[in-house]
Amino acid sequence: MSDPSLLVVPLGGLGEFGMNMLAFRSGDDIVVVDAGLMFPESELLGVDVVLPDIAYLKQNREHVRGILLTHGHEDHLGALPYLISDLDVPIYGTRFTLALLRKKLQESGHLETAVLRDMQPGTAFPLGAFEIEPIQVTHSTLDCVALAIRTPVGVILHTGDFKMDPTPIDNHPFDLHAFARYGQEGVLALFSDSTNAERAGYTPSERAVRPLMESLVRGAPRRVIVSCFATSIHRIQVVVDVAHSLGRKVGFVGRSMVDNVEIAHGLEKLHIPDGMVVRQQDLRGFDPTKLVVLASGSQAEAMSSLSRMAVDNHRHVSIEENDTVILSARIIPGNERAISRMIDHLFRRRALVYYEAAASGGTGPVHVSGHASQEELKLLVNLVRPKYFVPIHGEYRQLFRHAALAHQVGTVSGEILLLEDGQTLELSKTGAVRREPVTAGRVCVDSGSLEEIEEIVIRDRKHLSEDGIVVPIIAIDKHSGRTEGLPEVVSRGFLSTDDGQAVLDGAREVVRRTIDGSNAEEKMDWSVIKEKIRVDLKRYLNKQTSKRPLILPVILEV
Amino acid sequence: MSDPSLLVVPLGGLGEFGMNMLAFRSGDDIVVVDAGLMFPESELLGVDVVLPDIAYLKQNREHVRGILLTHGHEDHLGALPYLISDLDVPIYGTRFTLALLRKKLQESGHLETAVLRDMQPGTAFPLGAFEIEPIQVTHSTLDCVALAIRTPVGVILHTGDFKMDPTPIDNHPFDLHAFARYGQEGVLALFSDSTNAERAGYTPSERAVRPLMESLVRGAPRRVIVSCFATSIHRIQVVVDVAHSLGRKVGFVGRSMVDNVEIAHGLEKLHIPDGMVVRQQDLRGFDPTKLVVLASGSQAEAMSSLSRMAVDNHRHVSIEENDTVILSARIIPGNERAISRMIDHLFRRRALVYYEAAASGGTGPVHVSGHASQEELKLLVNLVRPKYFVPIHGEYRQLFRHAALAHQVGTVSGEILLLEDGQTLELSKTGAVRREPVTAGRVCVDSGSLEEIEEIVIRDRKHLSEDGIVVPIIAIDKHSGRTEGLPEVVSRGFLSTDDGQAVLDGAREVVRRTIDGSNAEEKMDWSVIKEKIRVDLKRYLNKQTSKRPLILPVILEV
């Protein structure tokens, strides 16, 4: 019998921001950590969400013992509604995480069949060849855990997303002792969150936003609107506390905000004094000097509450002069321009707008990150002093810089390894060896239809979006095989009507000449004649217009 | 005779980043300050550059006395090659500015006919009803000026782009005395650069980048590649000086880098010791420990030198392990993802990459801004103490915050006015009055063809880019008027081939039914039958796929 080993299989989030998913395999047992989604870059035209490719897990379906969720953010569990029908295995999470997941699975129609299992920090449980101990960590949402996974070759630690908040809002601290204990025992490999590996120093505590929040609400001449991520329950708690201490009531707007507040409140993880909540339909008439509104839409998502308010298109809230608007969230890369436009609109309505780039009056930040900065990352490496170190959760440059930090610390006794999605690694007594890569990648989904979109379709859309489309159409008599009439050429997104007509007339002539210049054999083989037309038209159109529209020849049998 | 007045006509750059253009009119005399372009947001599909709409100037062509250029950045003069045929008036600029412009006009074929006139800081000249005095200011490129414009109702000051660099690289200081002198005399209105109005404190001197640059080059194990804007001659001078002091030679790559270095060197505004330049074709073989390469492409523009190097597709430079790459430029909003991907590629090639977000080893910044921060902006308001204050150059939120700063200073004796493009303002003895707006806006240009792109074409492209296109084609016998054969339906960018075929087969059936269900009159009116097909297909496709492709029915007469 061969020595036991552990195969590390990164399926998402190593080399990109989002869609985190990492699998571990020992013998015939696989556990998966997280199943996140990614919001697409604008280059992925018409794509709503991006998921990790789970071909590897589908091929090994019968070996997958479960999915372990570290916390409830979209980039850690958002792919489940799309993947669960292909991967119907038990899902483990903490209370708040599972509560968020239940809501999602209910909406996607998978709740009935899903097997959801509660896990708690400090309580270990077996899963196939593994034993799992969730470890309490601090982050920007509730009930976050790291995972200690005891495998046949040793203990590995997966941090999930974390920072080391010394003064968490909910007083549930980062469990330094658990990490210390495993460090003492000996850790085979540490997989650690690289999101803020470029950031020097320490990430401030969630409490750091309170002073500025308090001073802004205290000084606000009228209504205050605070926008943050709907999962940022700590932030919401701070706003509720500040409002309460200053004699203001709170209103919640936006579906995700209302849903999550309800869930967290139901679990007694968000504390709202009785009688403090103003119903949405009562917000419009409520004394603006006595009100704080919590709204979703900090990323200026189209149709979100704050985006609607900014253009005065929200049912319950209109921004008026001297309303205070606080954007208490980071700007997710890619959203800069949309957020900037939203802020412009808010200023145009004469709101007093506070945001990360330019908020501070010296009293502190309006937002703090939920991810550990360099000093915390180094501390963790020192605490765990693993044999192998693998940075996870980040674009390549963040993984690279996290690896450099670990080198600098010097307490990794074996190797520091940079892996990207699909690049597997085998750990055993004899060492760490890179193994054959597995299929990994991005699956693009149009969420309206829950369907995957193929690469070729996206490439076509990109092409279409740049220079439009030109469709030459030739009618061929199915009896005689002869072309009927003049070819037709239509276009969209190519040239405006005026300039375009002459060019398209010329294009008809080009197609006619191409057909006339082809011999009978070519005319019989439609794929040949289509390609000839495509090539000739491409040359003609590029010369006439310097453009390269997508050309789609059609032959019609009549 | 009526009292004289001055009409302020903002045509670009007030409420957006880029395409700066501001006109002043007194009686029948108009002067225009700057004529910049803007690089498009990614929403403007297939658009290469965006220009200000100059309808107002075209209508008043015979009154336009000249265009005054404050400096040579694209957002201040880049529109001229596109606009000059409609606005062939004298163009005034300083030496370096005109040298850059000449290059552009040569490329666009307008140099022969253009009338370019030199202007110098401190030397006033008349222009219609105005007298113009250029004032030397400091910024990130050479030969920048503010403009004092003496009008029949008083002196106005236009800052251009500026910061107050106390220790400029070329020792040409910001002319505080000129601003003080005008402040003493009395200034009717100050128009001031708002780009950094959100930034607290002072912008560091251009010299501030030298310590880190020096320490990075000194410590570099191999070749150093520095990328900055090709117009940043001060930055290029610093890099040349550092390389020289450390015994390294320099190479220049990228067309704009090579061109601008040549221009600045020819004007004796960039000093390069003899024998220090390595020719492009010799870079590959040159001792990497003795070389610094200056490359354009800091914004990760497609096909730029640095982008090509990052993917090992540059003719003269391949990035190798332990090469040092320094991105010495800001990230222009909208370019974040492209730059981030480029940095990832550089790290994958094992380069040591330094960039703004994460460069510092405590020795200083790798890039400093060329625009004044809040303390400098306030100082200028105090120095000029104008009657009216109008923030220019910025998105709305930046103009708004600049106005707030001026309020805070309190030395504006009259009004602080927020204008956006097209919103005119009349200044006279009796006060400042908002007048009828004029046409202003963005003109989108596909630079390959130098042609304007119509709104409808961009809308179509956007639509195409989201859900693709479906083209139903019906052949109609031109003699009988009957449809021939089954309708054809083709698509691109819509569904992948496998899923798509069944849907398209269904679509053919839908079209057939629509035709069969139409009466003879409808069949004769092609626009009616096309619209019926479009509506029926739209409903069918949306139901089948939840998508809304662009539907382009074609009727072919055979």
Side-chain angles (χ1 to χ4, degrees):
Chain A
M1 190 183 139
S2 66
D3 278 341
S5 72
L6 180 75
L7 190 69
V8 179
V9 185
L11 294 172
L14 277 76
E16 72 222 320
F17 175 77
M19 60 174 240
N20 297 298
M21 186 177 228
L22 184 54
F24 298 103
R25 176 177 195 150
S26 184
D28 276 347
D29 292 304
I30 297 174
V31 291
V32 180
V33 179
D34 289 334
L37 59 71
M38 181 163 78
F39 294 101
E41 316 190 12
S42 55
E43 287 93 336
L44 292 174
L45 298 159
V47 171
D48 292 308
V49 297
V50 179
L51 312 175
D53 186 332
I54 57 162
Y56 175 80
L57 298 177
K58 283 199 231 174
Q59 282 153 24
N60 294 281
R61 167 64 195 84
E62 75 274 22
H63 304 306
V64 183
R65 303 293 162 236
I67 300 171
L68 306 162
L69 300 178
T70 59
H71 64 289
H73 280 149
E74 290 288 349
D75 54 334
H76 291 261
L77 60 61
L80 283 172
Y82 304 92
L83 303 183
I84 197 167
S85 40
D86 285 325
L87 202 64
D88 52 335
V89 300
I91 301 168
Y92 294 80
T94 55
R95 281 184 74 197
F96 183 66
T97 305
L98 288 189
L100 292 179
L101 179 62
R102 262 184 212 105
K103 187 96 195 165
K104 283 181 190 302
L105 294 179
Q106 191 171 38
E107 283 167 12
S108 71
H110 296 98
L111 187 56
E112 296 278 303
T113 52
V115 179
L116 306 185
R117 296 200 177 139
D118 222 52
M119 64 182 189
Q120 288 170 43
T123 304
F125 60 95
L127 189 59
F130 307 100
E131 188 188 64
I132 317 291
E133 186 196 339
I135 302 172
Q136 183 168 287
V137 297
T138 46
H139 182 47
S140 50
T141 187
L142 291 175
D143 270 10
C144 302
V145 293
L147 298 166
I149 304 178
R150 203 172 286 275
T151 80
V153 281
V155 173
I156 58 171
L157 288 178
H158 183 299
T159 64
D161 280 354
F162 78 101
K163 66 177 177 181
M164 295 183 181
D165 192 333
T167 53
I169 300 285
D170 61 3
N171 296 318
H172 293 324
F174 181 92
D175 191 348
L176 288 166
H177 297 97
F179 285 96
R181 190 160 34 78
Y182 282 106
Q184 194 76 27
E185 175 189 332
V187 169
L188 178 66
L190 171 62
F191 300 82
S192 184
D193 174 18
S194 312
T195 309
N196 273 356
E198 296 175 299
R199 219 182 269 195
Y202 263 88
T203 302
S205 167
E206 264 294 312
R207 280 190 207 272
V209 301
R210 172 141 185 167
L212 179 59
M213 202 68 83
E214 193 163 329
S215 108
L216 292 178
V217 177
R218 190 190 301 280
R222 281 176 46 91
R223 196 169 39 184
V224 178
I225 293 140
V226 180
S227 189
C228 65
F229 287 108
T231 48
S232 299
I233 306 297
H234 303 315
R235 191 68 46 85
I236 295 167
Q237 184 72 62
V238 168
V239 174
V240 167
D241 292 349
V242 165
H244 188 241
S245 75
L246 295 169
R248 289 186 182 235
K249 305 233 182 244
V250 293
F252 299 98
V253 299
R255 198 172 66 98
S256 59
M257 180 64 75
V258 170
D259 284 354
N260 289 6
V261 162
E262 201 171 279
I263 289 169
H265 190 249
L267 296 174
E268 297 183 355
K269 287 170 185 288
L270 177 67
H271 306 285
I272 307 177
D274 286 345
M276 205 185 151
V277 177
V278 181
R279 294 180 310 169
Q280 292 201 32
Q281 57 269 42
D282 299 334
L283 289 175
R284 204 169 270 285
F286 203 88
D287 178 354
T289 66
K290 297 285 176 208
L291 186 62
V292 174
V293 175
L294 272 150
S296 44
S298 63
Q299 299 305 303
E301 303 93 334
M303 310 308 287
S304 70
S305 298
L306 196 61
S307 291
R308 284 165 170 275
M309 289 178 203
V311 294
D312 202 16
N313 183 26
H314 192 274
R315 205 161 146 210
H316 301 301
V317 182
S318 297
I319 304 282
E320 284 170 51
E321 184 165 354
N322 288 326
D323 277 354
T324 296
V325 179
I326 304 172
L327 290 178
S328 182
R330 71 177 285 213
I331 295 177
I332 290 185
N335 298 343
E336 294 86 355
R337 292 222 180 198
I339 293 174
S340 173
R341 275 195 297 263
M342 182 175 74
I343 293 174
D344 286 345
H345 284 307
L346 293 166
F347 272 126
R348 285 198 183 90
R349 313 201 79 78
R350 293 287 179 271
L352 312 165
V353 192
Y354 298 87
Y355 46 102
E356 203 176 5
S360 179
T363 38
V366 75
H367 168 69
V368 293
S369 171
H371 298 272
S373 300
Q374 293 178 349
E375 294 309 313
E376 294 151 274
L377 296 174
K378 289 190 277 186
L379 178 59
L380 190 74
V381 174
N382 273 329
L383 206 54
V384 174
R385 48 187 189 190
K387 184 161 182 199
Y388 300 107
F389 179 78
V390 181
I392 58 172
H393 303 171
E395 304 200 20
Y396 192 85
R397 67 176 199 283
Q398 293 155 336
L399 305 180
F400 187 91
R401 293 178 64 91
H402 198 181
L405 281 179
H407 271 292
Q408 191 186 323
V409 170
T411 50
V412 175
S413 59
E415 273 182 84
I416 294 166
L417 295 139
L418 269 174
L419 300 184
E420 289 193 82
D421 296 346
Q423 298 175 350
T424 65
L425 180 76
E426 188 176 44
L427 303 176
S428 67
K429 267 182 199 150
T430 52
V433 184
R434 285 174 187 270
R435 292 296 179 198
E436 278 293 293
V438 304
T439 302
R442 304 180 186 188
V443 176
C444 299
V445 173
D446 186 329
S447 75
S449 59
L450 287 183
E451 255 172 34
E452 295 181 15
I453 303 173
E454 282 184 20
E455 190 74 11
I456 175 76
V457 175
I458 292 168
R459 229 171 20 233
D460 277 353
R461 285 181 187 172
K462 186 161 161 48
H463 194 155
L464 287 167
S465 74
E466 280 164 0
D467 280 337
I469 188 169
V470 169
V471 185
I473 304 158
I474 308 108
I476 291 191
D477 186 296
K478 68 180 149 207
H479 305 299
S480 68
R482 274 180 303 138
T483 56
E484 294 279 326
L486 249 189
E488 183 62 76
V489 179
V490 295
S491 79
R492 287 310 277 273
F494 173 51
L495 291 172
S496 59
T497 337
D498 297 347
D499 317 329
Q501 200 48 56
V503 174
L504 291 185
D505 287 347
R508 292 175 75 178
E509 197 49 40
V510 169
V511 176
R512 196 187 55 73
R513 276 204 306 270
T514 305
I515 295 170
D516 289 353
S518 304
N519 61 35
E521 248 176 340
E522 287 175 321
K523 279 186 200 164
M524 295 299 287
D525 188 337
W526 289 10
S527 61
V528 169
I529 195 85
K530 278 186 189 175
E531 184 58 18
K532 281 188 73 171
I533 290 171
R534 218 182 52 72
V535 169
D536 289 350
L537 258 191
K538 186 176 159 189
R539 191 180 311 122
Y540 165 78
L541 292 174
N542 190 25
K543 198 168 158 202
Q544 293 290 314
T545 66
S546 304
K547 284 181 212 304
R548 288 178 180 73
L550 203 151
I551 296 170
L552 173 59
V554 177
I555 292 177
L556 205 63
E557 215 177 22
V558 294
Chain B
M1 188 183 140
S2 68
D3 278 341
S5 72
L6 180 76
L7 191 69
V8 179
V9 185
L11 294 173
L14 278 76
E16 72 222 320
F17 175 76
M19 60 172 238
N20 297 297
M21 187 177 229
L22 183 55
F24 299 103
R25 176 177 196 150
S26 184
D28 275 346
D29 292 304
I30 296 173
V31 290
V32 180
V33 179
D34 289 333
L37 58 70
M38 181 163 80
F39 294 100
E41 315 191 12
S42 55
E43 287 93 334
L44 292 174
L45 298 160
V47 171
D48 292 308
V49 297
V50 180
L51 312 175
D53 187 333
I54 57 162
Y56 174 80
L57 298 177
K58 284 200 233 174
Q59 283 154 25
N60 294 280
R61 168 65 196 81
E62 73 275 23
H63 304 306
V64 182
R65 303 292 163 238
I67 300 172
L68 306 163
L69 300 178
T70 59
H71 63 289
H73 279 149
E74 290 287 349
D75 54 335
H76 290 262
L77 60 62
L80 283 172
Y82 303 93
L83 303 183
I84 196 165
S85 41
D86 286 326
L87 203 63
D88 52 336
V89 299
I91 300 169
Y92 295 79
T94 54
R95 282 184 73 197
F96 184 66
T97 305
L98 289 189
L100 291 180
L101 180 61
R102 264 187 210 103
K103 187 95 195 166
K104 282 180 192 302
L105 294 180
Q106 190 171 37
E107 284 167 11
S108 71
H110 296 98
L111 186 56
E112 296 277 303
T113 51
V115 179
L116 306 186
R117 296 199 177 140
D118 221 52
M119 63 183 190
Q120 287 169 44
T123 304
F125 60 95
L127 191 58
F130 307 100
E131 189 187 63
I132 316 293
E133 186 195 337
I135 301 171
Q136 183 168 287
V137 297
T138 45
H139 182 47
S140 49
T141 187
L142 291 174
D143 270 11
C144 302
V145 292
L147 298 166
I149 304 178
R150 203 172 286 277
T151 80
V153 282
V155 173
I156 58 171
L157 289 177
H158 183 298
T159 63
D161 280 354
F162 78 101
K163 66 176 177 181
M164 294 181 182
D165 192 334
T167 54
I169 300 287
D170 61 4
N171 296 317
H172 293 323
F174 182 91
D175 191 349
L176 288 166
H177 296 97
F179 286 96
R181 190 160 35 79
Y182 282 106
Q184 193 77 25
E185 173 190 333
V187 168
L188 179 66
L190 172 63
F191 300 83
S192 183
D193 174 18
S194 312
T195 309
N196 273 355
E198 297 175 299
R199 221 182 266 195
Y202 264 88
T203 302
S205 168
E206 265 293 312
R207 280 190 206 271
V209 301
R210 171 140 185 166
L212 180 59
M213 202 68 82
E214 193 163 331
S215 108
L216 292 178
V217 177
R218 190 189 301 281
R222 281 176 47 91
R223 196 168 41 185
V224 178
I225 292 140
V226 180
S227 188
C228 65
F229 287 108
T231 49
S232 299
I233 306 297
H234 303 315
R235 191 68 48 84
I236 295 168
Q237 184 72 64
V238 168
V239 174
V240 168
D241 292 350
V242 165
H244 188 241
S245 75
L246 295 170
R248 288 187 182 234
K249 307 233 182 244
V250 292
F252 299 98
V253 299
R255 198 172 66 99
S256 59
M257 180 64 74
V258 171
D259 285 353
N260 289 5
V261 163
E262 202 170 280
I263 290 170
H265 190 249
L267 295 174
E268 298 183 354
K269 287 171 184 287
L270 178 67
H271 306 285
I272 308 177
D274 286 345
M276 204 185 151
V277 177
V278 181
R279 292 180 311 169
Q280 292 201 33
Q281 57 268 43
D282 298 334
L283 289 174
R284 205 170 271 285
F286 204 87
D287 178 355
T289 66
K290 297 285 177 210
L291 187 62
V292 175
V293 175
L294 271 149
S296 45
S298 63
Q299 300 304 302
E301 302 92 335
M303 309 309 287
S304 70
S305 297
L306 195 61
S307 292
R308 282 165 172 275
M309 289 178 204
V311 294
D312 202 16
N313 183 28
H314 192 276
R315 205 162 146 209
H316 301 301
V317 183
S318 296
I319 304 281
E320 284 168 54
E321 184 163 355
N322 287 326
D323 278 354
T324 296
V325 179
I326 304 173
L327 290 178
S328 182
R330 71 178 285 215
I331 295 176
I332 290 185
N335 298 343
E336 293 85 355
R337 291 220 181 199
I339 293 173
S340 172
R341 273 195 298 263
M342 182 176 74
I343 293 173
D344 287 345
H345 285 307
L346 293 167
F347 272 127
R348 283 197 185 91
R349 313 200 80 77
R350 292 290 178 269
L352 311 166
V353 193
Y354 298 87
Y355 44 101
E356 203 176 7
S360 180
T363 39
V366 75
H367 168 69
V368 294
S369 171
H371 297 272
S373 299
Q374 293 178 349
E375 294 308 314
E376 292 152 276
L377 297 174
K378 289 190 277 185
L379 177 60
L380 190 74
V381 174
N382 273 329
L383 205 55
V384 174
R385 47 188 190 189
K387 184 162 181 196
Y388 301 107
F389 179 78
V390 181
I392 58 172
H393 303 172
E395 302 201 19
Y396 192 86
R397 67 177 200 282
Q398 292 155 337
L399 305 180
F400 187 91
R401 292 178 64 93
H402 197 180
L405 282 178
H407 271 293
Q408 192 186 323
V409 170
T411 50
V412 175
S413 59
E415 273 182 85
I416 293 165
L417 296 140
L418 268 173
L419 301 183
E420 288 192 82
D421 294 346
Q423 299 176 350
T424 66
L425 179 75
E426 188 176 45
L427 304 177
S428 67
K429 269 183 195 147
T430 51
V433 185
R434 284 174 189 271
R435 293 295 179 199
E436 278 294 293
V438 303
T439 302
R442 304 179 187 188
V443 176
C444 300
V445 173
D446 187 328
S447 74
S449 58
L450 286 184
E451 256 172 32
E452 294 182 15
I453 303 173
E454 282 181 22
E455 191 73 12
I456 176 75
V457 174
I458 294 169
R459 229 170 21 233
D460 275 354
R461 286 180 186 172
K462 187 164 159 49
H463 194 155
L464 287 166
S465 75
E466 281 165 358
D467 280 338
I469 188 169
V470 170
V471 185
I473 304 158
I474 308 108
I476 291 191
D477 185 296
K478 69 178 149 211
H479 305 297
S480 69
R482 274 180 304 140
T483 56
E484 294 279 327
L486 249 188
E488 185 61 74
V489 179
V490 295
S491 78
R492 286 313 276 271
F494 172 52
L495 290 174
S496 59
T497 339
D498 296 348
D499 317 331
Q501 200 46 57
V503 174
L504 292 184
D505 287 346
R508 293 175 75 178
E509 196 49 40
V510 169
V511 176
R512 196 187 56 72
R513 275 205 305 270
T514 304
I515 294 169
D516 289 353
S518 303
N519 62 36
E521 249 176 340
E522 287 175 321
K523 281 185 202 168
M524 295 299 286
D525 188 338
W526 288 10
S527 62
V528 168
I529 195 84
K530 279 186 187 175
E531 183 58 20
K532 282 188 74 172
I533 290 170
R534 220 183 49 75
V535 168
D536 289 351
L537 258 192
K538 184 176 160 190
R539 191 181 309 123
Y540 165 78
L541 293 173
N542 190 25
K543 199 169 159 202
Q544 294 289 314
T545 67
S546 306
K547 285 181 212 308
R548 288 177 180 72
L550 202 152
I551 297 170
L552 172 60
V554 176
I555 292 178
L556 203 64
E557 217 177 20
V558 292

